[in-house]
Amino acid sequence: MDRPQAPLVLILGAGINGAACARELVLNGVSVVVVDTADIAYGASSKSSRLIHGGLRYLEYGEFHLVRESLEERTRLLRQAPQFVRPLRLCIPVNNRLSGVLPTMLRFLKLEGWADSWSKRHQGTAANHKTRGMWLVRAGLKMYQIYARDRTMPKYSVHNTGEEGLPRVDAKKFPWLCAYSDGQIVNTERWILALFEDARQVAEEKQLRFDIHTYHRAEIGPDHVDIVSLENGQPITPAIQPSLIINATGAGGDATLKQLGANTPQLFAGTKGSHILTYNPRLKAALHEQGVYAEAPDNRLVFVLPFDDAVLVGTTDEPFDAPPETANATDDEINYLIGAVNDLFPHVDLTRADVSLHYSGIRPLPKSSAKSPGAVTRRHWIEEQQLGELPVLTLIGGKLTTCRALGEQTTDRVLKLINQPRIANTRDRYVPGGKNYPANATALQAKIARLAESSGLSPDQTTAVWRLFGTQTAEVLKACPGLPGENLPGTHLPLPVIRWIIAHEWTSTLGDLVERRILLMFEPSLCRPALEQLATLLVESGKLNADAVDAAIETTTARLAEFYGITIAAAG
């Protein structure tokens, strides 16, 4: 007897929310087709501050449910995805004891306009601006700690600036530091790929359909949906007949609904967040491997974060109404972030020449009447529309930390609509590469040494592969013929592993490899020979025509220059 056909859901958007929904749905016996007009993790998912956090500042706006949910998810990710998410100690510089109480009370009472007006009238100049006071910060951290209920994370603490091992902010300007713990994820793109890989594995086990079509669009027909290539305009055959559509296209959600033919009011009004990356050694040393979460002179909140060998600084919060894929960090934003760093660390004297990279993304925030971008809620919810008989669920808001929760909530709505029971969830499910992760740095180094010995790779090569795959490294290496092989120029990554990535990780273009598979834009040694080698591997795989190599390299080089501020070296 033939098995009954599983219901099919079409997910538009291959970012973090699309990945979380796909994973949760296949676990519950639902087939999934994912379509994106760009690549996996192309948009805001890879353009954030890369923090996994509870949202300390959300307490000021009374969003206690969001903080509680975020902290629960932070705890899960630290446990279930340790190959990507790691604890990070953050310090808040404080320059007084009492300020900020009144505007915080006004925001708490949902009187943001009055709070912002009060702050502007009493803020003073950049030279004497008042941060939120010690009492207010300690009260917030105490509440944050209670909500977290995570005994594995160090408790908050208060210190005099200048104590050994703390960030070396300007002690004359900021006499105290309030320290607390959150999480950081450096390789967001790899995490999203791991979620999709988990969905693929589950779908294979359950004999469900699971497809990802990047660089395609969905077109609604009278009784079907066509998935059309953006390269040649040809639809994939046969067309699909989904039970419903999930619109997980983030800040482009309104444009997606319009393209589908839905007549809906505006749902989104995203804001732009820009970041800079620097390898300035004085700033790196000043952080002592901890982050700083500070108020800039204009009251915006800025992060200065350790980022492997570099430092990541962000973010701005500017209204933005152009297509999200056009977002770019402006000179004013870059100079603003440099100024924020120098306000905290004047001895560093950061300059534009120190900025190695910049990027910018659009937050998928809801249309709001809030008086300032910072006051717009960061919670998520689901809007339901109808396209004839076809339901469309549009995901609004959300962030990296709460993606699993949003995926769970969306799946609950889907299962109700298709009249199917929930049979599983991801609350205790490891992300591929996270199970049996070494407990500490010593155990990790021992594990890498054993893998290097068994595979014939050098420790540096093994470490480079481990950063991509975690505890799945051994499995991936076994599937890579030709090891150890040569390295990609300027890196320790073996070419056979890159061949495996091209074949197994939905790779289509040279940009996919550079930006979102092996994260070369974060490599200061990125050079043209590396791009030429990657293009050669794409030709070998049949994903790039030999006569299109030069054009692909030029396109990638131009994009890195425009959207990341990166100039490619002629040689390694």
Side-chain angles (χ1 to χ4, degrees):
M1 180 181 294
D2 293 337
R3 296 177 72 253
Q5 189 173 11
L8 173 67
V9 168
L10 171 61
I11 299 177
L12 303 180
I16 187 60
N17 289 334
C21 289
R23 183 179 183 230
E24 194 87 28
L25 284 166
V26 295
L27 272 172
N28 284 279
V30 178
S31 290
V32 168
V33 173
V34 180
V35 174
D36 199 301
T37 56
D39 185 29
I40 292 169
Y42 187 89
S45 296
S46 58
K47 303 298 189 296
S48 74
S49 298
R50 298 171 184 258
L51 287 172
I52 299 298
H53 65 109
L56 179 62
R57 75 176 183 85
Y58 306 155
L59 292 173
E60 190 168 324
Y61 292 93
E63 297 202 82
F64 303 121
H65 174 77
L66 175 58
V67 174
R68 187 179 294 110
E69 178 185 61
S70 299
L71 287 168
E72 288 175 357
E73 294 302 316
R74 184 198 72 182
T75 299
R76 283 195 177 95
L77 284 168
L78 286 165
R79 182 178 68 250
Q80 296 169 7
Q83 74 278 37
F84 301 125
V85 183
R86 57 199 184 200
L88 177 67
R89 196 70 171 168
L90 290 155
C91 294
I92 302 174
V94 179
N95 64 11
N96 69 93
R97 296 185 184 276
L98 293 173
S99 71
V101 174
L102 179 57
T104 295
M105 290 178 63
L106 291 172
R107 291 188 181 98
F108 185 81
L109 295 171
K110 306 300 181 184
L111 300 173
E112 294 93 352
W114 289 11
D116 292 339
S117 296
W118 191 95
S119 295
K120 288 177 181 178
R121 288 198 306 271
H122 295 83
Q123 184 63 21
T125 65
N128 64 1
H129 84 280
K130 295 289 187 181
T131 64
R132 287 164 176 81
M134 171 76 73
W135 290 3
L136 184 63
V137 172
R138 290 185 68 168
L141 291 177
K142 180 66 173 178
M143 188 179 298
Y144 198 67
Q145 185 172 291
I146 292 171
Y147 273 6
R149 295 178 297 180
D150 186 347
R151 295 181 180 179
T152 66
M153 299 287 268
K155 294 181 178 180
Y156 83 90
S157 55
V158 179
H159 307 268
N160 293 318
T161 300
E163 287 184 27
E164 187 68 25
L166 292 173
R168 296 200 303 271
V169 300
D170 187 350
K172 294 180 180 179
K173 191 178 295 182
F174 305 103
W176 306 284
L177 288 170
C178 297
Y180 71 103
S181 295
D182 255 324
Q184 183 181 38
I185 180 166
V186 172
N187 297 338
T188 305
E189 299 84 350
R190 297 299 312 176
W191 174 38
I192 296 170
L193 286 162
L195 293 178
F196 276 130
E197 172 60 18
D198 197 27
R200 186 200 64 76
Q201 292 178 15
V202 172
E204 184 176 315
E205 293 166 4
K206 292 179 175 288
Q207 297 183 301
L208 298 170
R209 178 174 180 177
F210 179 74
D211 299 331
I212 297 179
H213 300 287
T214 55
Y215 304 102
H216 283 72
R217 69 175 182 272
E219 294 184 355
I220 307 297
D223 59 357
H224 65 275
V225 176
D226 282 316
I227 301 171
V228 180
S229 168
L230 296 181
E231 181 181 4
N232 57 29
Q234 295 300 308
I236 292 172
T237 56
I240 64 172
Q241 294 179 305
S243 300
L244 58 82
I245 296 174
I246 296 174
N247 176 12
T249 55
D254 285 324
T256 299
L257 289 170
K258 183 177 180 181
Q259 186 265 321
L260 292 175
N263 184 20
T264 60
Q266 180 181 348
L267 298 175
F268 294 86
T271 64
K272 183 172 66 161
S274 294
H275 300 76
I276 60 174
L277 188 82
T278 176
Y279 286 87
N280 182 290
R282 296 185 303 278
L283 182 57
K284 177 67 176 175
L287 286 179
H288 284 287
E289 296 302 321
Q290 296 163 81
V292 173
Y293 179 26
E295 287 183 61
D298 64 354
N299 267 42
R300 285 181 179 172
L301 297 171
V302 175
F303 288 102
V304 185
L305 306 169
F307 195 82
D308 288 341
D309 295 332
V311 176
L312 182 67
V313 184
T315 175
T316 57
D317 201 358
E318 301 283 350
F320 191 83
D321 57 7
E325 64 273 14
T326 66
N328 209 339
T330 65
D331 286 341
D332 285 347
E333 288 178 297
I334 293 170
N335 291 333
Y336 170 84
L337 294 172
I338 291 171
V341 170
N342 288 331
D343 183 61
L344 292 163
F345 303 94
H347 69 282
V348 168
D349 192 24
L350 197 70
T351 69
R352 182 63 182 264
D354 292 311
V355 177
S356 298
L357 173 151
H358 60 70
Y359 63 79
S360 190
I362 308 302
R363 302 174 182 89
L365 301 182
K367 181 176 172 56
S368 170
S369 60
K371 299 297 183 181
S372 67
V376 179
T377 181
R378 264 53 174 178
R379 71 182 180 89
H380 55 248
W381 69 89
I382 306 163
E383 289 282 343
E384 183 174 343
Q385 297 96 14
Q386 289 287 136
L387 282 175
E389 299 294 319
L390 190 62
V392 179
L393 304 181
T394 296
L395 311 187
I396 299 176
K399 55 180 185 159
L400 294 179
T401 309
T402 55
C403 69
R404 193 215 60 84
L406 178 54
E408 181 180 278
Q409 293 156 22
T410 305
T411 297
D412 285 340
R413 181 79 70 90
V414 170
L415 294 175
K416 183 176 180 180
L417 287 169
I418 65 177
N419 195 29
Q420 186 162 310
R422 175 176 280 280
I423 57 176
N425 65 54
T426 55
R427 294 186 179 188
D428 297 312
R429 186 176 181 85
Y430 283 93
V431 175
K435 194 172 183 179
N436 298 321
Y437 199 82
N440 52 51
T442 301
L444 174 58
Q445 289 306 310
K447 177 69 172 178
I448 288 174
R450 290 194 297 272
L451 282 170
E453 184 177 359
S454 63
S455 65
L457 298 180
S458 71
D460 284 339
Q461 288 177 310
T462 309
T463 299
V465 180
W466 181 275
R467 285 171 54 81
L468 301 180
F469 298 103
T471 57
Q472 286 203 316
T473 295
E475 181 180 335
V476 171
L477 293 178
K478 287 178 183 177
C480 293
L483 287 174
E486 297 180 6
N487 290 342
L488 181 70
T491 77
H492 295 292
L493 197 60
L495 296 183
V497 174
I498 299 176
R499 289 190 178 94
W500 187 93
I501 288 171
I502 292 171
H504 293 88
E505 292 191 343
W506 306 283
T507 307
S508 298
T509 73
L510 182 58
D512 296 351
L513 278 174
V514 171
E515 296 182 42
R516 293 168 294 277
R517 299 304 184 280
I518 55 179
L519 308 179
L520 282 182
M521 70 282 192
F522 294 128
E523 290 285 346
S525 58
L526 176 58
C527 58
R528 187 176 179 89
L531 299 184
E532 292 170 347
Q533 180 65 75
L534 292 175
T536 298
L537 297 181
L538 286 169
V539 171
E540 290 178 4
S541 71
K543 297 194 175 184
L544 181 66
N545 292 328
D547 58 3
V549 166
D550 288 342
I553 291 174
E554 294 310 314
T555 297
T556 300
T557 300
R559 175 173 164 79
L560 290 172
E562 180 179 0
F563 290 98
Y564 294 94
I566 296 173
T567 300
I568 303 298

PDB file of all heavy atoms in Angstrom, residues 193-218:
ATOM      1  N   LEU A 193      23.062  27.020   8.226  1.00  0.00           N
ATOM      2  CA  LEU A 193      23.286  25.844   7.383  1.00  0.00           C
ATOM      3  C   LEU A 193      23.109  24.554   8.175  1.00  0.00           C
ATOM      4  O   LEU A 193      22.550  23.572   7.666  1.00  0.00           O
ATOM      5  CB  LEU A 193      24.692  25.892   6.774  1.00  0.00           C
ATOM      6  CG  LEU A 193      24.890  26.898   5.638  1.00  0.00           C
ATOM      7  CD1 LEU A 193      26.374  27.166   5.418  1.00  0.00           C
ATOM      8  CD2 LEU A 193      24.247  26.389   4.360  1.00  0.00           C
ATOM      9  N   ALA A 194      23.552  24.536   9.436  1.00  0.00           N
ATOM     10  CA  ALA A 194      23.397  23.344  10.269  1.00  0.00           C
ATOM     11  C   ALA A 194      21.927  23.049  10.552  1.00  0.00           C
ATOM     12  O   ALA A 194      21.513  21.879  10.588  1.00  0.00           O
ATOM     13  CB  ALA A 194      24.170  23.509  11.575  1.00  0.00           C
ATOM     14  N   LEU A 195      21.125  24.081  10.758  1.00  0.00           N
ATOM     15  CA  LEU A 195      19.689  23.871  10.969  1.00  0.00           C
ATOM     16  C   LEU A 195      19.042  23.273   9.728  1.00  0.00           C
ATOM     17  O   LEU A 195      18.210  22.356   9.818  1.00  0.00           O
ATOM     18  CB  LEU A 195      19.016  25.193  11.331  1.00  0.00           C
ATOM     19  CG  LEU A 195      19.392  25.823  12.668  1.00  0.00           C
ATOM     20  CD1 LEU A 195      18.673  27.151  12.862  1.00  0.00           C
ATOM     21  CD2 LEU A 195      19.093  24.887  13.828  1.00  0.00           C
ATOM     22  N   PHE A 196      19.412  23.788   8.558  1.00  0.00           N
ATOM     23  CA  PHE A 196      18.868  23.216   7.319  1.00  0.00           C
ATOM     24  C   PHE A 196      19.358  21.781   7.123  1.00  0.00           C
ATOM     25  O   PHE A 196      18.608  20.920   6.647  1.00  0.00           O
ATOM     26  CB  PHE A 196      19.265  24.076   6.122  1.00  0.00           C
ATOM     27  CG  PHE A 196      18.352  25.247   5.877  1.00  0.00           C
ATOM     28  CD1 PHE A 196      18.865  26.521   5.713  1.00  0.00           C
ATOM     29  CD2 PHE A 196      16.975  25.079   5.800  1.00  0.00           C
ATOM     30  CE1 PHE A 196      18.030  27.612   5.482  1.00  0.00           C
ATOM     31  CE2 PHE A 196      16.125  26.154   5.568  1.00  0.00           C
ATOM     32  CZ  PHE A 196      16.655  27.426   5.411  1.00  0.00           C
ATOM     33  N   GLU A 197      20.609  21.514   7.479  1.00  0.00           N
ATOM     34  CA  GLU A 197      21.124  20.151   7.354  1.00  0.00           C
ATOM     35  C   GLU A 197      20.373  19.207   8.284  1.00  0.00           C
ATOM     36  O   GLU A 197      20.071  18.058   7.919  1.00  0.00           O
ATOM     37  CB  GLU A 197      22.619  20.126   7.659  1.00  0.00           C
ATOM     38  CG  GLU A 197      23.239  18.737   7.755  1.00  0.00           C
ATOM     39  CD  GLU A 197      23.114  17.918   6.476  1.00  0.00           C
ATOM     40  OE1 GLU A 197      22.854  18.503   5.402  1.00  0.00           O
ATOM     41  OE2 GLU A 197      23.259  16.680   6.562  1.00  0.00           O
ATOM     42  N   ASP A 198      20.046  19.663   9.480  1.00  0.00           N
ATOM     43  CA  ASP A 198      19.257  18.836  10.393  1.00  0.00           C
ATOM     44  C   ASP A 198      17.889  18.537   9.788  1.00  0.00           C
ATOM     45  O   ASP A 198      17.402  17.398   9.844  1.00  0.00           O
ATOM     46  CB  ASP A 198      19.108  19.558  11.730  1.00  0.00           C
ATOM     47  CG  ASP A 198      18.673  18.628  12.852  1.00  0.00           C
ATOM     48  OD1 ASP A 198      18.957  17.414  12.770  1.00  0.00           O
ATOM     49  OD2 ASP A 198      18.040  19.103  13.816  1.00  0.00           O
ATOM     50  N   ALA A 199      17.262  19.550   9.199  1.00  0.00           N
ATOM     51  CA  ALA A 199      15.960  19.343   8.552  1.00  0.00           C
ATOM     52  C   ALA A 199      16.084  18.335   7.410  1.00  0.00           C
ATOM     53  O   ALA A 199      15.221  17.464   7.237  1.00  0.00           O
ATOM     54  CB  ALA A 199      15.427  20.681   8.041  1.00  0.00           C
ATOM     55  N   ARG A 200      17.160  18.436   6.637  1.00  0.00           N
ATOM     56  CA  ARG A 200      17.359  17.509   5.524  1.00  0.00           C
ATOM     57  C   ARG A 200      17.495  16.075   6.030  1.00  0.00           C
ATOM     58  O   ARG A 200      16.896  15.140   5.461  1.00  0.00           O
ATOM     59  CB  ARG A 200      18.603  17.898   4.726  1.00  0.00           C
ATOM     60  CG  ARG A 200      18.811  17.068   3.461  1.00  0.00           C
ATOM     61  CD  ARG A 200      20.240  17.126   2.964  1.00  0.00           C
ATOM     62  NE  ARG A 200      21.181  16.544   3.922  1.00  0.00           N
ATOM     63  CZ  ARG A 200      21.338  15.230   4.118  1.00  0.00           C
ATOM     64  NH1 ARG A 200      20.617  14.360   3.431  1.00  0.00           N
ATOM     65  NH2 ARG A 200      22.208  14.789   5.011  1.00  0.00           N
ATOM     66  N   GLN A 201      18.280  15.883   7.096  1.00  0.00           N
ATOM     67  CA  GLN A 201      18.477  14.541   7.637  1.00  0.00           C
ATOM     68  C   GLN A 201      17.164  13.961   8.162  1.00  0.00           C
ATOM     69  O   GLN A 201      16.861  12.786   7.937  1.00  0.00           O
ATOM     70  CB  GLN A 201      19.528  14.581   8.739  1.00  0.00           C
ATOM     71  CG  GLN A 201      20.941  14.894   8.265  1.00  0.00           C
ATOM     72  CD  GLN A 201      21.934  14.975   9.410  1.00  0.00           C
ATOM     73  OE1 GLN A 201      21.668  14.538  10.525  1.00  0.00           O
ATOM     74  NE2 GLN A 201      23.114  15.535   9.148  1.00  0.00           N
ATOM     75  N   VAL A 202      16.410  14.782   8.883  1.00  0.00           N
ATOM     76  CA  VAL A 202      15.129  14.304   9.424  1.00  0.00           C
ATOM     77  C   VAL A 202      14.168  13.946   8.289  1.00  0.00           C
ATOM     78  O   VAL A 202      13.478  12.919   8.335  1.00  0.00           O
ATOM     79  CB  VAL A 202      14.498  15.376  10.342  1.00  0.00           C
ATOM     80  CG1 VAL A 202      13.082  14.969  10.752  1.00  0.00           C
ATOM     81  CG2 VAL A 202      15.355  15.587  11.570  1.00  0.00           C
ATOM     82  N   ALA A 203      14.105  14.800   7.275  1.00  0.00           N
ATOM     83  CA  ALA A 203      13.217  14.533   6.144  1.00  0.00           C
ATOM     84  C   ALA A 203      13.590  13.216   5.459  1.00  0.00           C
ATOM     85  O   ALA A 203      12.707  12.439   5.058  1.00  0.00           O
ATOM     86  CB  ALA A 203      13.280  15.686   5.150  1.00  0.00           C
ATOM     87  N   GLU A 204      14.880  12.953   5.341  1.00  0.00           N
ATOM     88  CA  GLU A 204      15.319  11.704   4.728  1.00  0.00           C
ATOM     89  C   GLU A 204      14.891  10.512   5.572  1.00  0.00           C
ATOM     90  O   GLU A 204      14.414   9.494   5.041  1.00  0.00           O
ATOM     91  CB  GLU A 204      16.838  11.729   4.558  1.00  0.00           C
ATOM     92  CG  GLU A 204      17.403  10.522   3.839  1.00  0.00           C
ATOM     93  CD  GLU A 204      18.903  10.644   3.612  1.00  0.00           C
ATOM     94  OE1 GLU A 204      19.352  11.721   3.198  1.00  0.00           O
ATOM     95  OE2 GLU A 204      19.609   9.637   3.867  1.00  0.00           O
ATOM     96  N   GLU A 205      15.044  10.633   6.895  1.00  0.00           N
ATOM     97  CA  GLU A 205      14.627   9.543   7.784  1.00  0.00           C
ATOM     98  C   GLU A 205      13.127   9.292   7.712  1.00  0.00           C
ATOM     99  O   GLU A 205      12.681   8.138   7.749  1.00  0.00           O
ATOM    100  CB  GLU A 205      15.016   9.881   9.225  1.00  0.00           C
ATOM    101  CG  GLU A 205      16.521   9.924   9.470  1.00  0.00           C
ATOM    102  CD  GLU A 205      16.850  10.576  10.801  1.00  0.00           C
ATOM    103  OE1 GLU A 205      15.897  10.915  11.549  1.00  0.00           O
ATOM    104  OE2 GLU A 205      18.050  10.767  11.102  1.00  0.00           O
ATOM    105  N   LYS A 206      12.354  10.357   7.599  1.00  0.00           N
ATOM    106  CA  LYS A 206      10.896  10.234   7.603  1.00  0.00           C
ATOM    107  C   LYS A 206      10.309  10.095   6.200  1.00  0.00           C
ATOM    108  O   LYS A 206       9.093  10.064   6.041  1.00  0.00           O
ATOM    109  CB  LYS A 206      10.277  11.458   8.291  1.00  0.00           C
ATOM    110  CG  LYS A 206      10.559  11.554   9.790  1.00  0.00           C
ATOM    111  CD  LYS A 206       9.929  12.811  10.381  1.00  0.00           C
ATOM    112  CE  LYS A 206      10.085  12.872  11.885  1.00  0.00           C
ATOM    113  NZ  LYS A 206       9.204  11.879  12.565  1.00  0.00           N
ATOM    114  N   GLN A 207      11.177  10.044   5.186  1.00  0.00           N
ATOM    115  CA  GLN A 207      10.747   9.953   3.785  1.00  0.00           C
ATOM    116  C   GLN A 207       9.805  11.099   3.414  1.00  0.00           C
ATOM    117  O   GLN A 207       8.769  10.915   2.789  1.00  0.00           O
ATOM    118  CB  GLN A 207      10.085   8.600   3.520  1.00  0.00           C
ATOM    119  CG  GLN A 207      11.036   7.411   3.711  1.00  0.00           C
ATOM    120  CD  GLN A 207      10.386   6.089   3.368  1.00  0.00           C
ATOM    121  OE1 GLN A 207       9.369   5.707   3.954  1.00  0.00           O
ATOM    122  NE2 GLN A 207      10.971   5.400   2.398  1.00  0.00           N
ATOM    123  N   LEU A 208      10.237  12.298   3.801  1.00  0.00           N
ATOM    124  CA  LEU A 208       9.501  13.506   3.468  1.00  0.00           C
ATOM    125  C   LEU A 208      10.252  14.264   2.378  1.00  0.00           C
ATOM    126  O   LEU A 208      11.454  14.095   2.187  1.00  0.00           O
ATOM    127  CB  LEU A 208       9.369  14.404   4.698  1.00  0.00           C
ATOM    128  CG  LEU A 208       8.609  13.848   5.898  1.00  0.00           C
ATOM    129  CD1 LEU A 208       8.795  14.763   7.105  1.00  0.00           C
ATOM    130  CD2 LEU A 208       7.125  13.695   5.572  1.00  0.00           C
ATOM    131  N   ARG A 209       9.533  15.115   1.697  1.00  0.00           N
ATOM    132  CA  ARG A 209      10.189  15.980   0.716  1.00  0.00           C
ATOM    133  C   ARG A 209      10.837  17.156   1.445  1.00  0.00           C
ATOM    134  O   ARG A 209      10.231  17.779   2.310  1.00  0.00           O
ATOM    135  CB  ARG A 209       9.172  16.496  -0.302  1.00  0.00           C
ATOM    136  CG  ARG A 209       9.779  17.446  -1.331  1.00  0.00           C
ATOM    137  CD  ARG A 209       8.781  17.824  -2.401  1.00  0.00           C
ATOM    138  NE  ARG A 209       9.386  18.736  -3.378  1.00  0.00           N
ATOM    139  CZ  ARG A 209       8.764  19.184  -4.469  1.00  0.00           C
ATOM    140  NH1 ARG A 209       7.522  18.776  -4.729  1.00  0.00           N
ATOM    141  NH2 ARG A 209       9.375  20.015  -5.289  1.00  0.00           N
ATOM    142  N   PHE A 210      12.083  17.457   1.088  1.00  0.00           N
ATOM    143  CA  PHE A 210      12.750  18.647   1.608  1.00  0.00           C
ATOM    144  C   PHE A 210      13.660  19.191   0.523  1.00  0.00           C
ATOM    145  O   PHE A 210      14.657  18.578   0.162  1.00  0.00           O
ATOM    146  CB  PHE A 210      13.568  18.328   2.868  1.00  0.00           C
ATOM    147  CG  PHE A 210      14.276  19.537   3.414  1.00  0.00           C
ATOM    148  CD1 PHE A 210      13.566  20.523   4.071  1.00  0.00           C
ATOM    149  CD2 PHE A 210      15.644  19.701   3.238  1.00  0.00           C
ATOM    150  CE1 PHE A 210      14.205  21.650   4.550  1.00  0.00           C
ATOM    151  CE2 PHE A 210      16.288  20.819   3.723  1.00  0.00           C
ATOM    152  CZ  PHE A 210      15.571  21.801   4.376  1.00  0.00           C
ATOM    153  N   ASP A 211      13.305  20.337  -0.004  1.00  0.00           N
ATOM    154  CA  ASP A 211      14.069  20.973  -1.071  1.00  0.00           C
ATOM    155  C   ASP A 211      14.377  22.407  -0.683  1.00  0.00           C
ATOM    156  O   ASP A 211      13.565  23.081  -0.034  1.00  0.00           O
ATOM    157  CB  ASP A 211      13.276  21.004  -2.389  1.00  0.00           C
ATOM    158  CG  ASP A 211      12.925  19.620  -2.889  1.00  0.00           C
ATOM    159  OD1 ASP A 211      13.681  18.673  -2.603  1.00  0.00           O
ATOM    160  OD2 ASP A 211      11.880  19.483  -3.567  1.00  0.00           O
ATOM    161  N   ILE A 212      15.562  22.874  -1.108  1.00  0.00           N
ATOM    162  CA  ILE A 212      15.914  24.284  -0.986  1.00  0.00           C
ATOM    163  C   ILE A 212      16.261  24.804  -2.374  1.00  0.00           C
ATOM    164  O   ILE A 212      17.131  24.235  -3.051  1.00  0.00           O
ATOM    165  CB  ILE A 212      17.099  24.506  -0.029  1.00  0.00           C
ATOM    166  CG1 ILE A 212      16.743  24.065   1.394  1.00  0.00           C
ATOM    167  CG2 ILE A 212      17.517  25.979  -0.022  1.00  0.00           C
ATOM    168  CD1 ILE A 212      17.868  24.237   2.395  1.00  0.00           C
ATOM    169  N   HIS A 213      15.584  25.861  -2.785  1.00  0.00           N
ATOM    170  CA  HIS A 213      15.830  26.472  -4.086  1.00  0.00           C
ATOM    171  C   HIS A 213      16.237  27.928  -3.872  1.00  0.00           C
ATOM    172  O   HIS A 213      15.386  28.794  -3.647  1.00  0.00           O
ATOM    173  CB  HIS A 213      14.591  26.401  -4.969  1.00  0.00           C
ATOM    174  CG  HIS A 213      14.114  25.005  -5.249  1.00  0.00           C
ATOM    175  ND1 HIS A 213      14.789  24.139  -6.102  1.00  0.00           N
ATOM    176  CD2 HIS A 213      13.052  24.306  -4.782  1.00  0.00           C
ATOM    177  CE1 HIS A 213      14.156  22.984  -6.153  1.00  0.00           C
ATOM    178  NE2 HIS A 213      13.099  23.057  -5.359  1.00  0.00           N
ATOM    179  N   THR A 214      17.541  28.176  -3.884  1.00  0.00           N
ATOM    180  CA  THR A 214      18.009  29.557  -3.786  1.00  0.00           C
ATOM    181  C   THR A 214      18.020  30.173  -5.191  1.00  0.00           C
ATOM    182  O   THR A 214      18.021  29.462  -6.194  1.00  0.00           O
ATOM    183  CB  THR A 214      19.407  29.618  -3.166  1.00  0.00           C
ATOM    184  OG1 THR A 214      20.294  28.776  -3.910  1.00  0.00           O
ATOM    185  CG2 THR A 214      19.369  29.148  -1.719  1.00  0.00           C
ATOM    186  N   TYR A 215      18.017  31.498  -5.231  1.00  0.00           N
ATOM    187  CA  TYR A 215      17.976  32.251  -6.487  1.00  0.00           C
ATOM    188  C   TYR A 215      16.767  31.843  -7.344  1.00  0.00           C
ATOM    189  O   TYR A 215      16.860  31.715  -8.564  1.00  0.00           O
ATOM    190  CB  TYR A 215      19.295  32.085  -7.257  1.00  0.00           C
ATOM    191  CG  TYR A 215      20.485  32.500  -6.435  1.00  0.00           C
ATOM    192  CD1 TYR A 215      21.300  31.546  -5.821  1.00  0.00           C
ATOM    193  CD2 TYR A 215      20.773  33.842  -6.221  1.00  0.00           C
ATOM    194  CE1 TYR A 215      22.384  31.920  -5.041  1.00  0.00           C
ATOM    195  CE2 TYR A 215      21.854  34.228  -5.427  1.00  0.00           C
ATOM    196  CZ  TYR A 215      22.651  33.263  -4.840  1.00  0.00           C
ATOM    197  OH  TYR A 215      23.715  33.644  -4.067  1.00  0.00           O
ATOM    198  N   HIS A 216      15.646  31.658  -6.674  1.00  0.00           N
ATOM    199  CA  HIS A 216      14.357  31.366  -7.307  1.00  0.00           C
ATOM    200  C   HIS A 216      13.279  32.246  -6.671  1.00  0.00           C
ATOM    201  O   HIS A 216      13.476  32.806  -5.590  1.00  0.00           O
ATOM    202  CB  HIS A 216      13.978  29.895  -7.138  1.00  0.00           C
ATOM    203  CG  HIS A 216      14.706  28.954  -8.042  1.00  0.00           C
ATOM    204  ND1 HIS A 216      16.038  28.643  -7.877  1.00  0.00           N
ATOM    205  CD2 HIS A 216      14.292  28.249  -9.141  1.00  0.00           C
ATOM    206  CE1 HIS A 216      16.413  27.783  -8.817  1.00  0.00           C
ATOM    207  NE2 HIS A 216      15.369  27.534  -9.593  1.00  0.00           N
ATOM    208  N   ARG A 217      12.143  32.333  -7.317  1.00  0.00           N
ATOM    209  CA  ARG A 217      10.984  33.014  -6.757  1.00  0.00           C
ATOM    210  C   ARG A 217       9.764  32.125  -6.918  1.00  0.00           C
ATOM    211  O   ARG A 217       9.744  31.220  -7.771  1.00  0.00           O
ATOM    212  CB  ARG A 217      10.741  34.366  -7.440  1.00  0.00           C
ATOM    213  CG  ARG A 217      10.282  34.266  -8.874  1.00  0.00           C
ATOM    214  CD  ARG A 217       9.932  35.647  -9.465  1.00  0.00           C
ATOM    215  NE  ARG A 217       9.434  35.529 -10.831  1.00  0.00           N
ATOM    216  CZ  ARG A 217      10.198  35.533 -11.908  1.00  0.00           C
ATOM    217  NH1 ARG A 217      11.508  35.656 -11.791  1.00  0.00           N
ATOM    218  NH2 ARG A 217       9.656  35.410 -13.121  1.00  0.00           N
ATOM    219  N   ALA A 218       8.769  32.369  -6.091  1.00  0.00           N
ATOM    220  CA  ALA A 218       7.511  31.620  -6.165  1.00  0.00           C
ATOM    221  C   ALA A 218       6.460  32.449  -6.891  1.00  0.00           C
ATOM    222  O   ALA A 218       6.315  33.646  -6.629  1.00  0.00           O
ATOM    223  CB  ALA A 218       7.021  31.268  -4.765  1.00  0.00           C
TER     224      ALA A 218
END
